[in-house]
Structures are given as structure tokens and as C-alpha cells.
């Protein structure tokens, strides 16, 4: 009986699952089941990871909407049982605090020029390294790549002495120049590699139509480089907006950016969470708004480049 069963099993394997069609059908069904399970598991994991990542942000938002006495009595999760405790009084006091509101404007005055200068200079330099011939081009580009490994901390003291000698220490212009200088190596490296992928035939066709280098750069290269430029703008703006070290060293102590202003609030008034929580949330909301705005531009740039 066992021999008969074994022979039947062998016959079934040979005639069904043992054939190439049978193996293919079995693998296809197995892949479908595994794909369905994996897709569902991955989605659940991503949802849980997203909620876990948003939990501190939610806690900060709720804390900024609670009165100081309510925060002292318990954590932010108390609103789950008493949502009526939420109030906008903290934001009203925040808007009346000249130190915080002024620091937000100072941060905008630093982050926007530092981002625009890096995008402008990095785009010109990236195009030059990618498509223009000049003596020592490769060596200059290697020098730019080498500057990527220079840490910011190494330059604080010498740049402070330099800015002090030319009158830029503790000025907004000094902070902007420092961020621009340290943002340019990465910008040139990124944009040069992106511009180099543009088809040479496209640029030659534009030159044959009479386009000069500036017009070629503005009309052809920049539209195609929209995705890289948008990504670079996001990185640079977030880095400058969230920076505290450079602002703490070079910014005007009487008119600091928001990161330094919040640090000063902690140092002077350790328990004023009613000011710190809404201030920190507002300082976090602005980069998020910029990110989503640039994200739309990033998607449109990708589609434009694909069509062209």
C-alpha cells in the first residue's frame, strides 16, 4: 500500500505540480498570496509608524492649546477625557510677545535669502561644471566635492574673526553668508550631476537655433532641473530654519532667530511652557508648509521633465 501510494504521489507530482505549467501556477498563486499578505502588513506597519512619528507633534500641538495650570496638573493626553480644556489663549499671548514674533521675522530674513542665494549660485556653478569648458574644471569640481566634508564647527572661530574684522559679526548678513557658503558645495555637487544628465543633443539643438549660454540656461536647463532645484531648496531652507549653532554664534543677540529666542526663553523662564509650546509649534509649521509647497513644485517639475 505504501508503495502504491508513493507511486501515485509521484505520478501526481509529475502530471500536475511537477510539470512546468504546474510549477508556474503554483508559484503564481503563492506570489499572489505572499504579495497580498506583504502588502497588508506593510500598510499596517506604515500606518503605525506614521502615527508613532506624529505622536510627539500631536503632543506639542495639544500642549500649546492647554493652559499652564492644566499642563501642571497632568500630561497633554488629559484632553482625551476633557477636550473643553483646549484654548487659544497661549497663541494670543505668543503673538503679543515681541521677542518671539520678532524672532520669527528674523528667521525668515535669514532663511529666505540664504536659500535663494544657494539656489542661484549653485545653479550657475552646476551648469558651468556640467557643460562649459574652462581650464581646471575637473580640479575645481574636486575641490568643491572636498569641501563637503568640512564640518561647520571647524570654521566657527576663523570665520568669526573674519566677520569681526569686516563688520559682519552679529549681523543678519553674516549669518546669511555663512549659510550660503556652507550650502554651496552640496548645491553645486547635486546640480552639476543632475544637469550633466541632460541630453547633449537637446542643448546643441538650442545652440543651433541661436540660443546663447544665458538663454540656454534659463529656457532649457532650469526647467529641466526643476526637480533637483526644488529638492535642494527644501533641504537648504530646512537646514537654515532649524539651525541653532550658527545663529547662536553669528546672529545679533538683540534680534535672534526663533531657535535662539526659544533657547533664551528656556534659560530665563524655565517653566513658561505656555510660550515655548506654541512658539515651537509655529517654528515647526513653517518648514512643513514650505515643504508641501515645494513638493507640488517638485511633482510638476518631474512631469515637465518627463514630457520634454
Amino acid at each position: 500500500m505504501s508503495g502504491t501510494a508513493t507511486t501515485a504521489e509521484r505520478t501526481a507530482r509529475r502530471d500536475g505540480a511537477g510539470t512546468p505549467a504546474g510549477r508556474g501556477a503554483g508559484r503564481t498563486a503563492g506570489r499572489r498570496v505572499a504579495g497580498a499578505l506583504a502588502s497588508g502588513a506593510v500598510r499596517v506597519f506604515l500606518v503605525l509608524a506614521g502615527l508613532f512619528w506624529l505622536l510627539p507633534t500631536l503632543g506639542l500641538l495639544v500642549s500649546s492649546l492647554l493652559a499652564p495650570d492644566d499642563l501642571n496638573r497632568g500630561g497633554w493626553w488629559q484632553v482625551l477625557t476633557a477636550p473643553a480644556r483646549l484654548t487659544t489663549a497661549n497663541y494670543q499671548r505668543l503673538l503679543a510677545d515681541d521677542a518671539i514674533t520678532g524672532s520669527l521675522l528674523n528667521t525668515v530674513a535669514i532663511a529666505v535669502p540664504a536659500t535663494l542665494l544657494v539656489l542661484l549660485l549653485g545653479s550657475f556653478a552646476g551648469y558651468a561644471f556640467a557643460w562649459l569648458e574652462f581650464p581646471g574644471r575637473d580640479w575645481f569640481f574636486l575641490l568643491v566635492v572636498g569641501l563637503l566634508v568640512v564640518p561647520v564647527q571647524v570654521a566657527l572661530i576663523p570665520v568669526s574673526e573674519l566677520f569681526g574684522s569686516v563688520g559682519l559679526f552679529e549681523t543678519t548678513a553674516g549669518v546669511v553668508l555663512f549659510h550660503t557658503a556652507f550650502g554651496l558645495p552640496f548645491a553645486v555637487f547635486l546640480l552639476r550631476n543632475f544637469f550633466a544628465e541632460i541630453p547633449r543633443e537637446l542643448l546643441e539643438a538650442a545652440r543651433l537655433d541661436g540660443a546663447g549660454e544665458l538663454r540656454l540656461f534659463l529656457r532649457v536647463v532650469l526647467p529641466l532641473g526643476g526637480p533637483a532645484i526644488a529638492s535642494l531648496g527644501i533641504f537648504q531652507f530646512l537646514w537654515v530654519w532649524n539651525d541653532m549653532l550658527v545663529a547662536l554664534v553669528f546672529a545679533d543677540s538683540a534680534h535672534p532667530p526663533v531657535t535662539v529666542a526659544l533657547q533664551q526663553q528656556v534659560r530665563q523662564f524655565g517653566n513658561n511652557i505656555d510660550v515655548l509650546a506654541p512658539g515651537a509649534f509655529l517654528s515647526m509649521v513653517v518648514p512643513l508648509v514650505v515643504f508641501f509647497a515645494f513638493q507640488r513644485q517638485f511633482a510638476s517639475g518631474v512631469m515637465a521633465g518627463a514630457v520634454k
Side-chain angles (χ1 to χ4, degrees), residues 63 66 70-71 73-79:
S63 299
L66 287 175
D70 293 333
L71 282 173
R73 283 196 296 265
W76 61 267
W77 48 86
Q78 60 185 295
V79 300

Side-chain angles (χ1 to χ4, degrees), residues 120-135:
L120 179 63
L121 299 178
S123 299
F124 279 113
Y127 174 74
F129 281 117
W131 293 109
L132 298 183
E133 297 289 343
F134 55 89

Side-chain angles (χ1 to χ4, degrees), residues 13-243:
R13 294 193 191 100
R14 183 174 61 252
D15 295 339
T19 61
R23 287 196 300 268
R27 290 177 181 176
T28 302
R31 288 175 181 174
R32 289 178 180 176
V33 174
L37 293 176
S39 178
V42 168
R43 289 179 181 177
V44 172
F45 174 77
L46 291 178
V47 170
L48 293 177
L51 293 176
F52 183 77
W53 180 77
L54 290 175
L55 189 61
T57 305
L58 178 62
L60 180 63
L61 174 60
V62 175
S63 299
S64 67
L65 295 173
L66 287 175
D69 295 337
D70 293 333
L71 282 173
N72 293 330
R73 283 196 296 265
W76 61 267
W77 48 86
Q78 60 185 295
V79 300
L80 298 176
T81 58
R85 295 181 180 179
L86 297 177
T87 178
T88 59
N90 294 338
Y91 286 92
Q92 295 176 1
R93 286 192 294 269
L94 176 70
L95 295 177
D97 191 338
D98 295 335
I100 299 298
T101 55
S103 66
L104 288 172
L105 297 178
N106 295 332
T107 307
V108 173
I110 293 173
V112 173
T115 302
L116 294 179
L117 283 175
V118 167
L119 294 179
L120 179 63
L121 299 178
S123 299
F124 279 113
Y127 174 74
F129 281 117
W131 293 109
L132 298 183
E133 297 289 343
F134 55 89
R137 183 186 66 174
D138 295 336
W139 289 105
F140 281 116
F141 183 70
L142 289 177
L143 177 61
V144 171
V145 174
L147 292 175
L148 289 172
V149 302
V150 178
V152 175
Q153 295 81 357
V154 174
L156 291 179
I157 295 178
V159 174
S160 298
E161 296 177 353
L162 175 63
F163 282 179
S165 61
V166 297
L168 290 175
F169 192 74
E170 289 197 349
T171 61
T172 301
V175 182
V176 171
L177 289 177
F178 191 95
H179 283 301
T180 303
F182 274 85
L184 275 177
F186 177 73
V188 175
F189 175 76
L190 176 67
L191 295 180
R192 182 264 178 191
N193 293 336
F194 191 89
F195 292 160
E197 297 297 326
I198 298 176
R200 180 181 296 272
E201 294 78 8
L202 182 63
L203 302 180
E204 292 178 352
R207 290 191 178 97
L208 290 176
D209 290 338
E213 294 297 335
L214 181 59
R215 186 176 181 182
L216 179 64
F217 173 76
L218 296 176
R219 296 293 182 88
V220 178
V221 176
L222 280 187
L224 293 177
I229 295 174
S231 301
L232 177 63
I234 292 173
F235 287 122
Q236 178 68 11
F237 184 86
L238 294 181
W239 177 49
V240 177
W241 183 275
N242 295 321
D243 171 75

